[in-house]
Amino acid sequence: MPRVRIVGVSKRYGRVTALDQVNLEVENREYLSILGPSGCGKTTLIKCIAGIIPPDEGQIYIDDKGLAGVPIQERGIGYVFQEIALFPHMPVAENVSYGPRVRGWPPARTARVTNEMLSMVGLEERGQAYPRELSGGAQQEVAVIRALASGSSLLLLDEPLGSLDAKVRAKLRYELRQLVADLGLTAIHVTHDQEEALSISDRVVVMKAGGIVEVGSPMELYLRPKRIFTANFVGEANFIEAKIAQGGPDCILDIDGLELRCRNPLSLASGRVVVAIRPEFISFRESGPSGVNAWTGRVENQTFTGSAARYQVKVSNGLTLTVKCPLLSDEPEVAVGDNVTLSLPVEHIRIYPFPEGGLEQETALE
Ligand code: ADP
Ligand code: MG
């Protein structure tokens, strides 16, 4: 059963470093997503794993066997691209049975596997249809089972849902996850969609500019991102520059005259830091005096996003914070122009050392 090990892999195209010393281990039966902005090297990495692109440096092992010298079709890897790449002139069943037929499987076995695969995605009645007669989502399901029909146990997916409508995308996420679990596969799924990565994966790898920024479970990355880049790219966050006024396990920060208490897991003792707090963790409270983690301000702007309302609140030191509140009744809690008090809960505030190249460079997508 496939376990993938990527050791010191680099790949350059002229002056562009597409991958820079990437190290990663993927467990057997794990569903791993690779998440990052466009151009960060996701496709290059997955093509290196597939053996389609040879790395300039480093090694890739599948079940402790090196890939070098093993022909692509003998690696036991199923590969699905973003663009739906079915053979348009072949009925669906022939698309699915293509791999087994090329490998010379006996017709009875080929037919049995093809039927099994089609019924796994509920398309057993559509084997004789042509790809264009199926919806985009069903076509992409066929692309997935075609990649698996020859018995691959490692499934590589490069933005497999990228060309589909939002509703279909969300539905296929769960089907894909289920299929991978039912067949006991290992899956590596490339996406630039953070919600897709969080909802489908056991672990998520966050990439930026050819390198791995952070690896963690969806909850870890969302609730306790170790890097500023992750806090920004996975979900959204208010970033605030601050100074440590008083160190310790619960430290006090000074933000242009406002005080903030937060946990200090890195034991930062002094100096400049960046604070990150997600908009949905800030809430409005009964107005009262300004104090530690209770800041007064005025609502400058409100937008409605369906399930929530977003506010821009200018607090007393001139800083503007984004606050997101679920709509729990048919009236928004506050309105533009209201004077409010914001509650900033200690447990949801993260602090980071101030990045050497500045905050803007740290959160940049390239
Ligand atoms: P992603 O899939 O994350 O969008 P890619 O792996 O496709 O990123 O590309 C990573 C970087 O390598 C980009 O800067 C891209 O322009 C460059 N690149 C990818 N393929 C080639 C190629 N064949 N020739 C030159 N540059 C390439
Ligand atoms: Mg890509």
Side-chain angles (χ1 to χ4, degrees):
M1 276 292 137
R3 180 168 160 264
V4 180
R5 208 149 51 89
I6 298 161
V7 184
V9 164
S10 295
K11 178 74 192 175
R12 278 170 288 277
Y13 294 106
R15 261 182 289 162
V16 176
T17 301
L19 295 176
D20 187 14
Q21 287 291 320
V22 171
N23 294 293
L24 179 66
E25 293 202 9
V26 189
E27 294 304 320
N28 180 30
R29 295 192 170 209
E30 182 167 32
Y31 203 119
L32 183 98
S33 289
I34 299 176
L35 173 69
S38 183
C40 72
K42 305 180 298 294
T43 293
T44 306
L45 179 58
I46 208 164
K47 282 188 171 163
C48 286
I49 300 170
I52 297 167
I53 294 178
D56 295 334
E57 287 165 32
Q59 295 294 328
I60 293 171
Y61 303 92
I62 295 182
D63 285 337
D64 297 322
K65 289 193 283 289
L67 280 184
V70 182
I72 290 177
Q73 61 276 16
E74 287 171 24
R75 289 178 182 157
I77 294 174
Y79 189 2
V80 178
F81 305 84
Q82 172 169 359
E83 316 75 50
I84 295 170
L86 297 175
F87 303 122
H89 56 284
M90 273 185 204
V92 164
E94 281 184 38
N95 264 281
V96 176
S97 64
Y98 182 79
R101 286 186 287 124
V102 167
R103 285 171 176 74
W105 289 15
R109 180 176 170 211
T110 300
R112 179 173 53 77
V113 169
T114 301
N115 288 333
E116 278 171 14
M117 285 286 166
L118 283 170
S119 45
M120 290 206 74
V121 292
L123 290 171
E124 60 275 35
E125 306 294 331
R126 305 305 310 274
Q128 294 318 308
Y130 282 89
R132 64 174 181 278
E133 299 174 87
L134 302 184
S135 67
Q139 288 181 47
Q140 202 53 308
E141 289 181 307
V142 174
V144 171
I145 59 172
R146 185 180 65 171
L148 297 173
S150 312
S152 305
S153 49
L154 174 59
L155 180 60
L156 305 180
L157 303 149
D158 191 353
E159 312 242 9
L161 310 177
S163 60
L164 305 172
D165 294 336
K167 281 267 184 200
V168 178
R169 230 164 43 216
K171 173 171 164 273
L172 282 197
R173 273 180 211 155
Y174 298 105
E175 295 191 4
L176 206 47
R177 184 76 185 88
Q178 199 57 48
L179 184 76
V180 165
D182 288 349
L183 293 174
L185 309 175
T186 302
I188 304 178
H189 178 130
V190 162
T191 178
H192 65 268
D193 177 340
Q194 43 117 351
E195 195 182 299
E196 183 173 306
L198 295 182
S199 62
I200 209 168
S201 318
D202 298 314
R203 277 192 311 159
V204 179
V205 177
V206 179
M207 280 186 76
K208 173 189 180 179
I212 292 180
V213 174
E214 187 170 350
V215 184
S217 73
M219 289 254 192
E220 281 164 358
L221 292 184
Y222 194 83
L223 296 174
R224 290 177 296 282
K226 292 196 178 68
R227 297 282 302 274
I228 292 174
F229 181 81
T230 309
N232 184 51
F233 193 72
V234 181
E236 74 178 302
N238 292 287
F239 292 105
I240 308 167
E241 290 187 37
K243 281 201 297 284
I244 296 188
Q246 187 189 314
D250 259 10
C251 64
I252 305 280
L253 305 178
D254 171 31
I255 299 163
D256 281 341
L258 286 176
E259 277 191 321
L260 196 64
R261 181 193 300 278
C262 64
R263 308 249 190 272
N264 186 9
L266 298 176
S267 304
L268 303 173
S270 63
R272 253 172 125 192
V273 295
V274 172
V275 175
I277 180 160
R278 298 204 180 278
E280 70 271 29
F281 293 141
I282 305 177
S283 57
F284 297 108
R285 61 192 243 176
E286 298 290 310
S287 55
S290 199
V292 179
N293 296 43
W295 295 355
T296 54
R298 187 171 180 277
V299 179
E300 303 256 289
N301 185 299
Q302 181 201 355
T303 45
F304 173 60
T305 65
S307 58
R310 295 167 60 86
Y311 303 93
Q312 303 291 325
V313 178
K314 192 166 190 172
V315 293
S316 56
N317 66 359
L319 204 69
T320 301
L321 297 182
T322 301
V323 180
K324 189 171 153 192
C325 300
L327 284 179
L328 301 175
S329 70
D330 60 0
E331 279 295 319
E333 263 182 275
V334 299
V336 173
D338 285 358
N339 290 315
V340 293
T341 302
L342 297 181
S343 167
L344 302 122
V346 170
E347 63 277 16
H348 288 304
I349 300 167
R350 319 274 324 154
I351 61 170
Y352 303 89
F354 194 84
E356 261 174 44
L359 187 54
E360 206 162 309
Q361 189 191 322
E362 191 70 13
T363 50
L365 299 185
E366 293 182 359

